[in-house]
Every structure is written in C-alpha cells, then in structure tokens.
Amino acid sequence: MRAVQRAITGIITVLLAASVSFFLLRVMPGNAVRTILLESGAGESAIAGREAALGLNQPVLHQYAIYMAGLFRGDSGVSLLTGLPVSEIIAQQAFATIQLAFAAMLIGLPAGLILGLLGGLPDHRNFLPFRVIIALLLAMPTYWLGIVALYTLTYIVPLREQLVFMPILLPALVLGLSVAGSIGRVTQGQVAMVAAEPFIMHARARGLPERLIARRHILRPGLVPVAASAVLQIGFLAGGVVMTEILFSRPGLGRTLMDAVLRQDYPVVQGIVVWVAVILVIANFLIEMLYPWIDPRVRLAE
Amino acid sequence: MIVRIGFLLVAAVVLAACGSGSRSQTQNTSRQIVYGLTLQPTGFDPHVNAASELGIPLRSVYDTLIYRDPVTKAFIPGLATDWTVSSDGLVYEFILRNDVHFHDGTAFNAQAVAVNLDRITDPDTASQKAIFMLGPFDTYEIVDDYTIRLKLTEPYSPLLDSLSQVFLGMASPTALAATSSERYQFHQVGTGPYRFVDYIPGDHLTIARSPDYAWGPDFYQDALANAPDEILFRFYEDPPARALALQGNEVQVMGELLPSDARDLSANPDIGLLPASIPGQPLQFFMNTTRFPTDDERVRQALLFGANREAIIDSVYQRFSPVAWGPLSANTAFYTPEVTGRYAYDANQARMLLANAGFADSDGNGYVDFAGVDLEITVLVPPWGLIPQVSQFLQEQWRDIGVRAVLQQVPSRSTLLEAFASGEYNLGAYYEFGVDPAFLSRYYTTNGVNNYTGYSDTILDNLLSEAERQIDAQVRQSLYAQAQTLIMDRALVLPIRDYVNLNGYRATIGGLAFDAYGFYPVLPNLELNPATP
C-alpha cells in the first residue's frame, strides 16, 4: 500500500520535473535551430522552414502535448541539432557520470562518516580539527579545489603525466571531498545530538567500551538523516557535475546538459532533467525501504 | 556491517568501471599525439554541423575540390586539377583528378561529387552551414567521369571559397550510404592524409595517417613524412585548464590559450607559442544607427576616437593581437590598408565631436549631457573572447570623454541575437570568420540578415552586392575597398583587435602551421621530433 503511494508520488514528481523544464526552456527567446542558422547567414524563410519541420512553430501547448505523449511511450525525442535520439545521447554520457559519481561517493561517504563521528563526539578530546576540516570542505567550491589540484600536480608535484593512466582519480577525489564535507556536517550534528541522549549515559553505566558505544549506539541511530543527505548527493552527482567535468575534460551528463541549455536544444535538456528526476525518485524510494533496517525505531513507529 | 558490505559493493563496481575505462586506449604510443580542442561541437559532421572546431581534425580527413594557399590565399588545385567559370558567372566546370580513392577504397569521380552535393542540399540532411555556403547553387551536370559542372541561378563569386572549406569536403558515397545521415558523424570516410578512426562525444576524436595518400595540394610538402601516426583530439573547454594540460604534457598542441597564460608559457623552453591570425571580422562592436545617441554620426566617431585600443590590447591580450582598424581583419582577402590608422586614440578629438553634437557637462557630474540627461549608451557584452574585460576598459575610457556606458551582459548566443533583434542597444559585440569578405553584405546591406547597425544606404548596398557577383579579383578588390572606407567614414563599427588564436605546443612537435583560414592546422606537415630528455 505504502509502496503504491510512493510509486504514485514518484511518477508525479518526474512529470512535474518534465513539465517545469519544458516551460522554463520556452520562456527563453529563440531556439537551437534559429540561433545556429542565423550564424550561418540563413535567411528568414530557410529558418522558418526548418522550425516547421521540427514542429517548433506549433503553439507551445501543442508541443507540450506531443512531448508528454512521447514521454509516456518512453520516447524523449531527438536532438534539434544532430537528430540523434535523446535516449541515445544520455546512454552514451551516463556511463562516465555514473562512474565518477560512484567513485566520488566511495571516497566521500566513508570520509564524511569518519570525520562527522570524530568531529561530533563532545567528549572526544580532539574534535576541533575535524570540525575545522568539515567546515573547510564545505566552504571550498569544487571548481576552485579542482584548479588547485591541477595546478599542484602540474607545477609543484609534477605527476600529471602519470595520472593520465588513472584519469578518474583526481576528479573523484575533488568531488569526493565535497561530498565528504556535506555528509560530515550532517553526521557531526547527528552524533552530537545522539551523544547527549540519556541512553548513551546508560550504555556507559553498563560499562560498554567507548568504541562500541560510538559505533552502535551513537552513529547508528543518527544515520537516517545522513542517508537522506546521501540521497541528495546522489541526485546532485547523477546530473553530472558541470565544472568538474569541464575542468578535467571528462565526458558526462553535466557538460552535455550545460551545452544543451546554452544552445537551447530543448529535447536534450528535458531528457537529462527527467533522467535526474527518475534517479532521485528511485534513490529516495530505496533509501526509505532501508530506513527500518538502519534504525529499528522507524519500524516500531509504523 | 551492512554499511561495510555496501562499501565493498560500490568499490567493486568502481574498480570494474575503472578497469574498462574508456581512456585506457589513449595512452601515448611514441607516434601518437594529443591535440586539445577548446569546444565540444554539437556534432562533427561537416556537411551538417556549423562549428569551426570540427574542421581542426576533419580538415585533414577530407580533401576539397580546391584549396587556398595558406600564404598567398590564392586558389590552388585539390581534388580538381582545373576549373573554369563561364563568362556570365553561372556555370563552374571542374576537371577532377582520376587517381584518387577514399579511405574505404571507393573511387573518387564526378559521381562522388554529385552524391555529396545531393546530400548537402537534401532537406532531410538539415545542413546548418554547408548548404548556405553554396549560395544560389541550383544543379549539377556530370559531363564525364572526371568532369562536373555546377550551375547557379545567379552569379556568386564566393563559391570557390566555399568549395575550398572542409564544410564542402568530399565524403565517400559508400560510407554515406552505409549509415543513417545523423550517424555518419561516427563513421566518416574521406580522401585526406588522415583517416577518421572514432569519435566518442565528450571524450575524444581520433584520426590516423592514411599511408597511400598522394594527391595533396602543393602546400602539403612531404605530407606525412614525419607526421604522427595517430592524433587524438580531446576537449578542454575551461580556459585556465588548457595551459595546465600543456604544461603537464597531457596534450602536445593546444589552441585558444588565455593571453596571460601564453605570456607565462613563453618563458618555458619546452613549450613553443604560435599566435595565428584568423581572417574575417575583427573582435568588434556594431554601432546601432537607429537608436539615440548612436544615431548621431558624431557620437559614433567620438566613441571610436575615445577608445584606446592599444591600451586594451596591451593588458587584456598581452600584446598578442594587432589593432583592428576596419570591418575586416588585415589578413582577410580584399582588406584595404586605407582604413589603417583611422580613428586612432584621440580623447580631445572625441570631446570636440561630442561638443559639436550638442553635448556638454552642464551639471558637472563628469558626464556630458543634453537637456539635463547624461549621455548614456548600452553595450551588449557576451562572455566569450575576453569581451567582458574589453568592455570594462572601454567603459573607463569613455568615462574619460564624458560618456556613460552601461554594460549589459548576455549569457549566450541566442540571448545576444535576441537582444540584437529587439533593437534596444547602442553597441553589441559580434564577429565571424572567413577569408572571402562576402559575409559583409549580410552585416552592412539594408536587408542583410545580420544588419545590427540598422544602417541603410543604397551606395553601400550596391557596392557589396556587386562585389559578390563579380568574378574578377581586381574589380572585387576595388569594390570592397570602397565599402570598407565607407563603413569607417560612417563609423558603423568599433573594431578592437584582429582575432588571434594563441596556440601552444610542446617542443617535440615541429612544423605546426595553419591553413588560409587561420584556424585549421596543416596536420600532415607536423613533424615529431625525438623527445629531448
């Protein structure tokens, strides 16, 4: 029953994302075809003919109906500029994005959890440096961090040529650190909150070892909001991270999305937005299924 | 425990992913180089897509019927050994080479040219540039296996220039027939010194030398003698990352370096710099003659005199560009030196012109005004080409002559074009490249599609349209010279600098040079030198 409700909410979310992106794009003047043809010196009649062939001269609501009908058939259209199916473009770019997202999560999630745990325990002797690191990671924009990393490896420790054989390492590290900052911040807050609960004092009174208390009694109950924030990170990474992709000259959905927005290639933009929405909905759904497992109190509440 | 298993799973996936990484094939063999492209074009099909960047690799994959000499810019034989133009300018006859075959073995002949023309003009191809370069092309006639005639509906002298560009490169009919038109960009076959290997969008495009190439134009000296076996093109869209990649030897040739980075790299003995001028329009601002206050010629002239272009080039472009004086860059065909030095920086002259136009600083706020309203101009500022920095300099310089410039940022091409269409601007930055100045008629004739000055003058209209119809180079030179002078007399445009592409290359690369269009490297003339330890 709950699952059905979730599924319906999920579908509505995706449709809303598709609709909003559809209309937002059309608020901007011009379209991909017009811009590129004007630059090639095409006359107005040639441009109008091309627009008509692509259905861009139809009323917006009519275009919307066609787009939505296509979406329900699983057809997200073709790029206005290359004629290639949008699904094919996404499939081609998604691998690089998923690869980078996984690598970034692999670095960011454990690093964030450890930093958050060490920075959150109030009676831990040296929590301050960990809090400072978390704050720094949160404050550093990935683009800046990326430039610094590239600069360092080019001029200070010249390892750039060696890194060519492992091109994912640097972008994954840069992105992972930013993920670690967000995860660490949430974890830190949760840990600090749970550590002040009476049941922790009780655990200590029972003489349990500190490490066990920290892992089982403090970290675990605090994990639900951490998991929720991890899902947000997945959504953020699923869309690709534009600046990281551009900086490290990687393919990916973020760069494709940005190019498509600037060129007003509507179907491509809409396709990627829908993709990100679907990933977010699925990730949210899965993590909610996991909540009772992470924290048995959720099970009791139901 | 659960968390730990999760991590292990993720780790396994990532390791698997890394193992099959799409870039594992990019490792440098000794005869392979990496060439940095600066923009990821939407598509790489020269018949379909319009981005200049596609020509950087593909210029060497395709041959064209004719070529332009990189130095003299004269037309020289390519796949056509000879050509004649009928006296009425309506029929172009080409005699083709009979010893050419495509990389897939298909023979090149008149039928192949016909297939290419059919494809470009087919509405289903939806060509974004090539079809418009053919101008009033009507039909062709295959005279024999190695002779073809192109027929036009009206005289169009830029046709030869069009036919010498990669957008009208000759593709293999077999390859075109083997795949759908939109997927041809992944399976391209030409006749050039390099053959197309693969293209993975966003990641790379690879070309490899074609050993039996023997029909290059004269300037392909000893083509491929010591050239790289394979050239891998990768995309570096972030300008600061370009110099870093070159410095780190991740790429061996890189274009569009930032001027400040180029200045720094010039101190490095492992890296050479090759600034290449691009013919066409300079970096320039069109002045809107239909809107106050730039509807007044004296105001436009004042803005020209008040702009210190030397100072802008010194700081923004690190002196890597010549000052531009007219509507064409100095290395464009039919450029006239008569415009050189006109409107050289003279703030006093600018102030005098403003005073003559009736503007004076009556309220003492530093800006000249008319009837209590400060003289204010709106400038459209797109983000590319360091135009924002140039605009800030202009704003300061014009403040000095009492003009307030409002800089209006436009984030993309489409917003810029929309702003031009709205007419609500005084100046707007825009330029295009090309050797033949035929494009001028689109910008400066009354009904030109890119007439952003709003200027209308039958004398200029006639000069430009006649120049496009005339075949004789001397006649065209004279017509274009008059047109350029007239455009500057009326102060329709503020030219800033001739566009210069700042290329950097590792010292292991020799022979880097660019073709007549300035933008396309002559790749078969590259020489790989042994690495210096």
Side-chain angles (χ1 to χ4, degrees):
Chain A
M1 193 57 219
R2 239 181 95 92
V4 174
Q5 207 181 332
R6 287 276 153 220
I8 293 173
T9 325
I11 290 170
I12 292 175
T13 310
V14 172
L15 290 183
L16 266 177
S19 307
V20 169
S21 68
F22 181 93
F23 287 106
L24 271 184
L25 284 170
R26 278 149 182 90
V27 171
M28 296 196 294
N31 61 55
V33 178
R34 173 164 292 271
T35 303
I36 206 143
L37 291 191
L38 269 177
E39 295 209 322
S40 298
E44 186 55 41
S45 63
I47 297 174
R50 212 59 81 69
E51 285 180 326
L54 291 162
L56 292 169
N57 58 340
Q58 304 281 347
V60 171
L61 281 178
H62 183 86
Q63 292 183 43
Y64 178 67
I66 291 176
Y67 168 62
M68 278 300 171
L71 206 56
F72 275 104
R73 289 195 310 269
D75 172 12
S76 40
V78 299
S79 158
L80 297 179
L81 293 172
T82 60
L84 291 170
V86 172
S87 49
E88 193 178 312
I89 294 173
I90 292 178
Q92 203 168 37
Q93 300 293 319
F95 176 74
T97 298
I98 292 171
Q99 195 186 3
L100 182 59
F102 264 120
M105 284 306 264
L106 183 69
I107 294 169
L109 205 54
L113 283 173
I114 293 168
L115 283 172
L117 187 60
L118 294 176
L121 289 173
D123 49 356
H124 183 263
R125 245 172 291 162
N126 302 312
F127 66 82
L128 193 64
F130 298 103
R131 292 196 179 177
V132 170
I133 291 173
I134 291 172
L136 273 179
L137 291 181
L138 272 178
M140 289 188 293
T142 47
Y143 175 73
W144 179 83
L145 198 60
I147 279 278
V148 168
L150 277 180
Y151 188 88
T152 309
L153 288 173
T154 306
Y155 287 103
I156 300 169
V157 203
L159 287 175
R160 198 87 189 264
E161 278 173 84
Q162 285 71 23
L163 273 178
V164 167
F165 299 105
M166 188 73 175
I168 197 170
L169 196 65
L170 211 51
L173 190 68
V174 165
L175 266 185
L177 286 178
S178 120
V179 170
S182 314
I183 302 277
R185 182 69 194 81
V186 178
T187 313
Q188 180 198 317
Q190 285 298 313
V191 165
M193 205 173 78
V194 178
E197 297 267 353
F199 63 79
I200 299 300
M201 200 197 294
H202 181 241
R204 285 218 175 85
R206 277 158 58 209
L208 293 178
E210 276 301 320
R211 291 187 58 162
L212 190 71
I213 295 176
R215 212 172 60 213
R216 186 176 295 167
H217 297 277
I218 298 182
L219 187 56
R220 188 141 172 223
L223 275 186
V224 167
V226 174
S229 110
V231 168
L232 283 181
Q233 295 291 327
I234 290 173
F236 158 75
L237 294 170
V241 189
V242 182
M243 284 326 295
T244 313
E245 286 171 0
I246 291 180
L247 194 56
F248 293 96
S249 114
R250 283 180 60 83
L253 287 172
R255 200 158 90 167
T256 311
L257 177 64
M258 194 188 74
D259 283 348
V261 168
L262 286 178
R263 291 171 178 149
Q264 293 184 294
D265 197 344
Y266 303 145
V268 177
V269 179
Q270 285 153 202
I272 296 177
V273 168
V274 168
W275 150 269
V276 175
V278 167
I279 293 284
L280 257 181
V281 164
I282 293 176
N284 242 319
F285 183 74
L286 290 180
I287 211 81
E288 279 189 32
M289 298 283 107
L290 283 179
Y291 281 163
W293 206 16
I294 299 171
D295 187 346
R297 288 175 300 178
V298 176
R299 219 169 344 186
L300 286 178
E302 279 177 13
Chain B
M1 191 58 200
I2 297 155
V3 176
R4 206 172 296 162
I5 292 172
F7 284 156
L8 283 176
L9 274 176
V10 173
V13 170
V14 170
L15 285 178
C18 293
S20 65
S22 53
R23 255 183 234 165
S24 49
Q25 73 228 35
T26 71
Q27 57 177 279
N28 268 15
T29 60
S30 58
R31 305 285 308 167
Q32 188 209 50
I33 66 163
V34 181
Y35 194 117
L37 296 183
T38 54
L39 188 136
Q40 154 85 51
T42 14
F44 260 101
D45 188 329
H47 293 169
V48 176
N49 301 109
S52 305
E53 277 76 6
L54 67 82
I56 294 177
L58 297 181
R59 174 70 270 189
S60 302
V61 169
Y62 295 99
D63 282 311
T64 41
L65 293 184
I66 41 186
Y67 277 83
R68 285 193 102 128
D69 185 272
V71 181
T72 65
K73 310 229 188 279
F75 294 111
I76 55 174
L79 292 176
T81 52
D82 199 9
W83 56 92
T84 46
V85 186
S86 66
S87 55
D88 59 4
L90 292 176
V91 181
Y92 285 66
E93 183 174 287
F94 295 91
I95 312 293
L96 307 176
R97 291 186 75 117
N98 58 11
D99 58 348
V100 177
H101 58 84
F102 290 94
H103 301 139
D104 61 3
T106 308
F108 170 78
N109 51 31
Q111 187 58 40
V113 177
V115 168
N116 277 273
L117 289 170
D118 283 342
R119 180 181 189 231
I120 290 164
T121 51
D122 183 348
D124 288 340
T125 304
S127 169
Q128 292 156 15
K129 185 174 175 111
I131 189 172
F132 305 109
M133 293 172 68
L134 285 173
F137 167 75
D138 183 31
T139 180
Y140 56 78
E141 179 194 339
I142 298 176
V143 181
D144 60 45
D145 271 1
Y146 297 103
T147 311
I148 189 166
R149 288 190 190 131
L150 270 57
K151 299 183 173 174
L152 310 182
T153 53
E154 53 185 293
Y156 183 66
S157 60
L159 187 69
L160 290 180
D161 178 71
S162 300
L163 288 170
S164 62
Q165 294 189 46
V166 65
F167 300 99
L168 295 176
M170 292 296 141
S172 159
T174 317
L176 288 173
T179 162
S180 67
S181 186
E182 65 271 15
R183 284 193 179 72
Y184 171 72
Q185 59 168 318
F186 302 115
H187 310 281
Q188 307 193 45
V189 179
T191 62
Y194 278 86
R195 68 185 165 78
F196 176 90
V197 177
D198 67 345
Y199 164 48
I200 310 291
D203 197 79
H204 71 266
L205 186 151
T206 316
I207 61 175
R209 57 193 270 163
S210 174
D212 50 356
Y213 184 73
W215 43 81
D218 284 349
F219 63 91
Y220 281 8
Q221 301 137 352
D222 289 330
L224 298 172
N226 194 22
D229 288 338
E230 201 169 84
I231 306 178
L232 188 98
F233 296 86
R234 295 191 50 209
F235 309 100
Y236 290 85
E237 295 190 56
D238 185 54
R242 291 174 199 156
L244 290 171
L246 188 63
Q247 177 79 41
N249 204 16
E250 192 177 292
V251 299
Q252 284 73 51
V253 187
M254 178 71 88
E256 303 270 0
L257 293 169
L258 287 176
S260 50
D261 287 342
R263 184 60 69 207
D264 292 345
L265 288 176
S266 63
N268 184 334
D270 294 332
I271 290 173
L273 273 185
L274 179 60
S277 287
I278 314 286
Q281 293 176 326
L283 188 140
Q284 61 184 0
F285 292 82
F286 285 108
M287 304 220 223
N288 186 351
T289 61
T290 62
R291 191 167 190 256
F292 179 83
T294 42
D295 54 346
D296 188 324
E297 190 174 301
R298 291 164 296 189
V299 173
R300 298 199 298 271
Q301 290 177 334
L303 293 175
L304 274 159
F305 278 120
N308 186 347
R309 291 172 262 193
E310 303 272 3
I312 292 173
I313 287 165
D314 277 358
S315 53
V316 179
Y317 298 106
Q318 300 281 316
R319 297 175 193 235
F320 281 119
S321 297
V323 170
W325 300 105
L328 293 176
S329 293
N331 63 342
T332 315
F334 310 128
Y335 171 81
T336 177
E338 283 168 46
V339 296
T340 307
R342 289 200 63 180
Y343 303 105
Y345 178 57
D346 186 344
N348 286 329
Q349 180 76 15
R351 290 191 196 96
M352 211 170 73
L353 280 160
L354 289 175
N356 288 347
F359 293 95
D361 186 8
S362 57
D363 53 6
N365 69 349
Y367 293 107
V368 295
D369 53 68
F370 182 75
V373 181
D374 285 345
L375 185 58
E376 187 178 290
I377 53 170
T378 304
V379 185
L380 302 178
V381 182
W384 52 81
L386 299 178
I387 294 170
Q389 287 85 333
V390 171
S391 305
Q392 277 166 17
F393 269 88
L394 289 173
Q395 194 179 34
E396 289 297 316
Q397 292 167 2
W398 286 334
R399 187 204 308 271
D400 187 47
I401 58 166
V403 176
R404 176 187 288 139
V406 177
L407 306 184
Q408 187 184 324
Q409 313 286 336
V410 284
S412 67
R413 302 242 164 219
S414 50
T415 41
L416 175 61
L417 293 174
E418 188 63 24
F420 274 131
S422 76
E424 287 167 15
Y425 63 94
N426 294 108
L427 282 85
Y430 196 88
Y431 47 90
E432 72 169 73
F433 302 132
V435 174
D436 191 296
F439 53 75
L440 285 180
S441 66
R442 285 193 268 113
Y443 291 88
Y444 296 102
T445 57
T446 306
N447 296 317
V449 284
N450 308 85
N451 183 353
Y452 303 134
T453 66
Y455 187 69
S456 170
D457 176 352
T458 47
I459 298 175
L460 190 54
D461 287 359
N462 289 338
L463 283 172
L464 289 172
S465 57
E466 198 49 35
E468 210 166 303
R469 297 166 64 89
Q470 289 291 335
I471 311 291
D472 187 80
Q474 300 263 308
V475 177
R476 295 189 78 199
Q477 172 73 53
S478 147
L479 292 168
Y480 277 124
Q482 291 173 59
Q484 291 168 69
T485 310
L486 186 57
I487 287 165
M488 291 324 289
D489 284 348
R490 298 283 84 80
L492 300 180
V493 67
L494 165 62
I496 302 290
R497 66 139 185 167
D498 284 4
Y499 197 93
V500 168
N501 182 5
L502 287 173
N503 301 281
Y505 56 95
R506 302 292 301 187
T508 48
I509 305 284
L512 180 65
F514 290 82
D515 79 349
Y517 296 87
F519 207 63
Y520 306 119
V522 185
L523 298 175
N525 288 2
L526 283 184
E527 286 169 20
L528 267 190
N529 303 328
T532 40

